[in-house]
Amino acid sequence: MRDPALFLTRAIFLLAGLISLAIGFSITFLTQGFYRSTGIDLGGDVNLFSEIRASGAVLLVVALFLLGALFKADWRPTALIVAAVYFSAYGLARLYSAFATGWAGPEITTAMVAELAIGALALGVILHNRRYRHW
């Protein structure tokens, strides 16, 4: 019988990894167009572009690590923690921002919901399998 926790863990890595890869690539290499598609005008501040691209590159690295964990069993416990922390932090920061400065547009709200869902799923797998027995 297949282990449902392992199946869910791999699904989290695949989903979170592919989403992170696409968004991280877009933020890093297609910065202006990506943000324009969400209704954000970045202007021409080179310092702002540097900051944004740096966070995009971090997202790319996280994506590659999560996707790598699909194939490297010894990476899975750490990758699951990374997914839980990283996506929860993004989602919670967006939620804080909504209360602190107002709700963002539908693209950003959708991102927040997806981030909170992925973070919660990863945390749920961690809490349900404290000893990572399915690896």
Side-chain angles (χ1 to χ4, degrees):
M1 181 176 176
R2 289 194 147 214
D3 184 350
L6 180 57
F7 178 80
L8 180 58
T9 300
R10 287 183 174 159
I12 290 168
F13 293 155
L14 183 62
L15 177 66
L18 291 177
I19 289 170
S20 299
L21 187 66
I23 293 173
F25 180 87
S26 297
I27 290 172
T28 305
F29 300 108
L30 308 169
T31 313
Q32 190 75 275
F34 175 78
Y35 280 97
R36 205 175 284 133
S37 74
T38 64
I40 299 170
D41 180 15
L42 297 176
D45 186 339
V46 295
N47 294 319
L48 179 60
F49 275 86
S50 178
E51 286 298 311
I52 288 171
R53 287 183 174 131
S55 67
V58 171
L59 192 52
L60 273 174
V61 171
V62 168
L64 294 175
F65 182 63
L66 295 176
L67 292 171
L70 286 167
F71 307 101
K72 302 273 298 168
D74 56 329
W75 291 12
R76 291 180 188 152
T78 304
L80 197 55
I81 293 167
V82 167
V85 170
Y86 195 81
F87 282 90
S88 296
Y90 257 94
L92 290 171
R94 292 184 201 277
L95 186 60
Y96 165 74
S97 184
F99 287 104
T101 56
W103 285 98
E107 298 90 352
I108 302 298
T109 302
T110 300
M112 178 190 70
V113 170
E115 290 156 356
L116 290 172
I118 291 169
L121 281 171
L123 182 60
V125 171
I126 291 168
L127 294 176
H128 183 71
N129 296 287
R130 290 191 183 141
R131 295 185 191 121
Y132 301 109
R133 67 180 181 269
H134 59 280
W135 290 307

